[in-house]
Amino acid sequence: MTFLARHRIILPVVSLAVLLAATFYMQPRAMSYFGLNLLFNLAVPIALATIAQMMIIMVNDIDLSLGAFVSLAACVTATFLNDAPMLGLLILLALILSYALLGAVIHALELPAIVVTLGMSFVWGGIALFILPSPGGAAPGWLRTLMTVKPPFAPMAVVAAVIIAAVTHLLIMRSGIGTVLRGVGGNARSVARAGWSVIRLKALAYGLAGLFGVLAGMALVGLATSADANIALRYTLLSIAGVILGGGEFTGGKVSPTGAVIGAFTLTLAASFLSFMRLSPDWQIGAQGAILILVLTARLIFRQKGSEA
Amino acid sequence: MTLSKMLLSAAGLALAAGLAQAESHMSETADKRIALSNNYAGNSWRQAMLQTWQEIGAQAVTDGIVAAADAYTTSENQPTEQAAQIQNLILQGYDAIVLNAASPTALNGAVKEACDAGVIVVSFDGIVTEPCAWRIAVDFAAMGREEVDYLASRLPDGGNLLEIRGLAGVFVDDEISKGIHDGVEVHDQFKIVGSVHGDWAQDVSQKAVAGILPSLPDVVGVVTQGGDGYGAAQAFKAAGRDTPLIVLGNRQDELQWWADQRDATGYETLSLSIAPGVASLALWVAQQILAGEEVPKDLTVPFLKITQDNLDDALATTPEGSVANVTYSLEVAQQVISDAK
């Protein structure tokens, strides 16, 4: 194994650094406390959603309902959590539990997660529309304060990214239960033989995804000040791309929480960079895809070199 | 360049500057940059809107009124995308952002960031509720009322009306319909005997109207929301019924049909809608705010009305498949501002 293959975090870090340098070159104004915050604050909810998606990918599944779920969490946050905090908290808790339940059902009935979550995306979207038929609601004051806080030295977005990465790294990469959870994605049968209940582990992974999905919705409302039933639909694809960009893989429980956070930030930055380049919007989606392919190609090349050596 | 020519051009410049000064502080905004943040470009209305912005913006830059008037469209019609776009525009150092918003509320955070950074935000068509932004709104209910007022002036005896609505569940549809029903309450000689959803599309409207027509008594007028008048006319024709008075919505096919009917039978009606050129109005409003003009936060867009008299002009300037357009001048913008005061 080469150095690069062993440290899968290197490539995401380098991608982000290169893109950041290019952005600073094109738009020197971004190179400031204020600029960095503007550049990255909307990446915070995406990073949380990416962590949620990572939890699902970690157990070899994929979640196509995440964008709708985050939108729903945002709608609950902007309505119930603001008007009746206790009730709001209960609903959000129920959402997390229903995600855990979903994980258990998917495992128990051996359903393909891709189909179940695609179906659930309509359920979440429907409930979100029911709660907030037209855009509106308001962010709870404390949440707005939290998301617009101006900490010393580094802007909120950067501080939040470090905290999210550190907490999830400890949880997934360092703790005992994290190792077992990754084991479910690596080899569920041997985890089961070792005496673990796979159904509970899957429920836990989905529950964690639900938790981070809810956090993403809350963070988004804190930034946007209000919600919309369609506010986060883009997050489904962004979160999957973020996980992969951050060094995760679709199978084998190979994920990296730090990489996922960096992946989310890279994707956000890529969009801003293309906008600074004044690229026509027709080309922007394609260009975003091109950046993704570039990074994945680089990873493939490094890995092949690694296995040859 | 000879000396005399130089002097002449210098004098010309001075004169132009003086004129500009007189015409409400144009030169004060000469170094200001304005950006258009747009969330969607996928229909003829938005295409016409972007084109108007480009034309008027380029002209304003050439005339030295503003330093830049650039248009940005998000690659996907999503509020999160547009919020990021607005924040990028702040970073790029624009002095004003003219905004057609993907969501009335979900962009408020980004708009607030812009205001806090000293950027003027003017929203139009798709407006935002953030109090620090300006709003150039469309009074859709008034459009509905105006349709019924027109029918009342043409058909004083009243009669049965057919209402064609837009896309169910969309705010605009509710508002126009509300205005129409308010109008019918005032002019109680009219009665709405049927209502269908035409989704602002000719083919959908034609099918919907054809479906309901057999169950309807004699209809004297059709109230519409735009994009649906031609389809309704076709459905009436196919059913072998007399063409009622159909209020139109400025689409090219509607105007063409109207002109043909007028030439054949002397058909007379009214067509009204919002012109995509409202983007140019927003541009001038932003320029006026940058120039230090006192501008109320809430302004209303005038409708673009096409009557029998200007039908030929409108038809001649409307490309096929598009919608009638008008570009607003600085003077109109000043009029709109002073009306709102």
Side-chain angles (χ1 to χ4, degrees):
Chain A
M1 287 261 269
T2 62
F3 177 74
L4 270 169
R6 202 170 318 131
H7 300 270
R8 55 174 61 233
I9 194 68
I10 301 283
L11 199 57
V13 170
V14 171
S15 322
L16 181 63
V18 168
L19 207 52
L20 200 58
T23 309
F24 283 162
Y25 173 75
M26 291 206 53
Q27 198 51 257
R29 249 179 278 232
M31 212 179 348
S32 65
Y33 183 97
F34 172 75
L36 276 176
N37 200 44
L38 279 183
L39 212 51
F40 285 124
N41 66 2
L42 284 163
V44 173
I46 300 178
L48 286 165
T50 307
I51 292 290
Q53 185 69 257
M54 189 197 74
M55 299 289 176
I56 308 277
I57 290 181
M58 182 173 65
V59 293
N60 284 359
D61 284 345
I62 195 161
D63 186 357
L64 293 187
S65 67
L66 196 60
F69 183 75
V70 173
S71 303
L72 171 58
C75 288
V76 172
T77 306
T79 51
F80 291 108
L81 194 63
N82 187 37
D83 306 330
M86 269 326 280
L87 181 63
L89 220 51
L90 279 177
I91 296 177
L92 291 177
L93 212 58
L95 284 179
I96 297 172
L97 286 178
S98 61
Y99 238 70
L101 188 68
L102 205 63
V105 168
I106 286 173
H107 180 76
L109 303 180
E110 291 180 19
L111 298 168
I114 195 166
V115 177
V116 176
T117 54
L118 183 64
M120 285 310 287
S121 72
F122 296 102
V123 175
W124 305 135
I127 302 176
L129 263 178
F130 182 73
I131 293 175
L132 214 57
S134 58
W142 57 270
L143 192 57
R144 179 85 186 128
T145 315
L146 183 68
M147 293 310 290
T148 52
V149 72
K150 300 219 174 345
F153 308 120
M156 181 282 292
V158 176
V159 174
V162 171
I163 293 175
I164 296 167
V167 168
T168 48
H169 183 80
L170 286 178
L171 180 69
I172 299 301
M173 307 307 280
R174 297 277 158 170
S175 78
I177 191 73
T179 311
V180 178
L181 278 172
R182 280 185 289 136
V184 172
N187 191 339
R189 195 166 295 168
S190 51
V191 170
R193 287 220 180 107
W196 292 89
S197 153
V198 176
I199 190 165
R200 282 201 198 151
L201 288 172
K202 274 227 171 176
L204 178 61
Y206 272 76
L208 282 171
L211 171 67
F212 280 100
V214 164
L215 290 178
M218 290 172 68
L220 186 54
V221 171
L223 287 171
T225 73
S226 73
D228 183 319
N230 300 322
I231 192 166
L233 292 186
R234 280 265 291 155
Y235 283 17
T236 304
L237 290 179
L238 277 178
S239 64
I240 296 172
V243 172
I244 302 308
L245 204 57
E249 280 174 40
F250 279 121
T251 53
K254 289 182 189 158
V255 290
S256 159
T258 320
V261 172
I262 293 176
F265 273 59
T266 310
L267 279 176
T268 313
L269 190 59
S272 297
F273 176 71
L274 294 172
S275 159
F276 290 148
M277 274 179 66
R278 305 236 41 199
L279 207 61
S280 142
D282 304 333
W283 292 95
Q284 275 184 23
I285 294 183
Q288 249 170 314
I291 292 181
L292 207 64
I293 291 171
L294 210 70
V295 173
L296 292 184
T297 314
R299 193 163 100 193
L300 211 63
I301 291 170
F302 285 134
R303 186 172 329 133
Q304 272 172 358
K305 285 239 175 92
S307 57
E308 276 165 20
Chain B
M1 198 184 267
T2 64
L3 186 66
S4 64
K5 262 192 188 157
M6 267 168 77
L7 276 176
L8 203 64
S9 58
L13 270 178
L15 191 67
L19 272 177
Q21 192 66 36
E23 277 191 17
S24 115
H25 351 267
M26 276 185 176
S27 58
E28 284 173 23
T29 57
D31 60 341
K32 302 285 187 193
R33 296 164 66 229
I34 303 179
L36 170 68
S37 164
N38 176 41
N39 65 313
Y40 179 64
N43 62 24
S44 60
W45 198 93
R46 288 293 176 109
Q47 286 295 333
M49 180 193 95
L50 286 170
Q51 201 179 347
T52 305
W53 175 275
Q54 238 119 40
E55 280 166 16
I56 298 295
Q59 189 60 43
V61 172
T62 319
D63 295 348
I65 301 170
V66 291
D70 305 320
Y72 294 84
T73 301
T74 53
S75 49
E76 280 186 64
N77 182 13
Q78 293 285 333
T80 45
E81 293 268 293
Q82 200 173 15
Q85 184 193 52
I86 292 170
Q87 298 191 167
N88 286 338
L89 293 175
I90 306 171
L91 273 180
Q92 283 167 274
Y94 283 98
D95 299 289
I97 297 173
V98 174
L99 176 66
N100 196 342
S103 159
T105 55
L107 297 176
N108 282 353
V111 170
K112 189 75 178 40
E113 295 272 2
C115 295
D116 290 347
V119 179
I120 304 289
V121 180
V122 179
S123 62
F124 71 99
D125 188 39
I127 54 169
V128 291
T129 55
E130 170 57 47
C132 75
W134 275 262
R135 276 162 292 282
I136 304 179
V138 177
D139 191 351
F140 287 107
M143 188 170 135
R145 282 194 295 274
E146 187 144 351
E147 287 187 32
V148 185
D149 287 344
Y150 173 74
L151 287 179
S153 72
R154 288 283 312 282
L155 307 164
D157 296 337
N160 295 326
L161 300 183
L162 169 63
E163 182 191 10
I164 305 180
R165 300 187 56 162
L167 205 56
V170 178
F171 158 82
V172 173
D173 169 60
D174 287 338
E175 282 296 302
I176 299 181
S177 179
K178 205 176 85 197
I180 288 173
H181 285 262
D182 287 350
V184 169
E185 248 169 58
V186 175
H187 303 285
D188 55 5
Q189 67 271 39
F190 289 111
K191 186 168 163 243
I192 295 178
V193 291
S195 177
V196 291
H197 280 281
D199 297 359
W200 301 310
Q202 306 294 4
D203 52 338
V204 182
S205 308
Q206 185 171 348
K207 258 181 273 172
V209 174
I212 195 175
L213 263 188
S215 68
L216 292 184
D218 201 26
V219 171
V220 297
V222 180
V223 276
T224 67
Q225 298 199 350
D228 39 17
Y230 178 74
Q234 294 305 312
F236 271 93
K237 189 177 160 199
R241 292 172 72 137
D242 291 339
T243 309
L245 184 50
I246 304 174
V247 181
L248 302 173
N250 291 3
R251 285 359 178 240
Q252 190 271 343
D253 50 3
E254 294 179 335
L255 299 179
Q256 185 61 54
W257 172 83
W258 178 9
D260 293 346
Q261 294 298 307
R262 177 199 58 190
D263 297 342
T265 63
Y267 191 77
E268 206 175 310
T269 185
L270 173 75
S271 179
L272 75 170
S273 186
I274 310 305
V278 61
S280 58
L281 182 67
L283 175 68
W284 291 124
V285 169
Q287 186 268 336
Q288 288 288 298
I289 298 167
L290 285 174
E293 200 63 28
E294 275 292 317
V295 178
K297 291 267 163 154
D298 288 284
L299 303 170
T300 309
V301 184
F303 302 113
L304 174 60
K305 260 185 271 185
I306 298 171
T307 59
Q308 211 75 5
D309 304 326
N310 59 10
L311 171 60
D312 286 322
D313 295 338
L315 193 55
T317 55
T318 308
E320 208 159 308
S322 189
V323 50
N325 198 3
V326 60
T327 51
Y328 294 95
S329 64
L330 178 58
E331 289 71 35
V332 176
Q334 285 166 333
Q335 187 61 43
V336 168
I337 292 168
S338 66
D339 284 351
K341 274 182 187 165

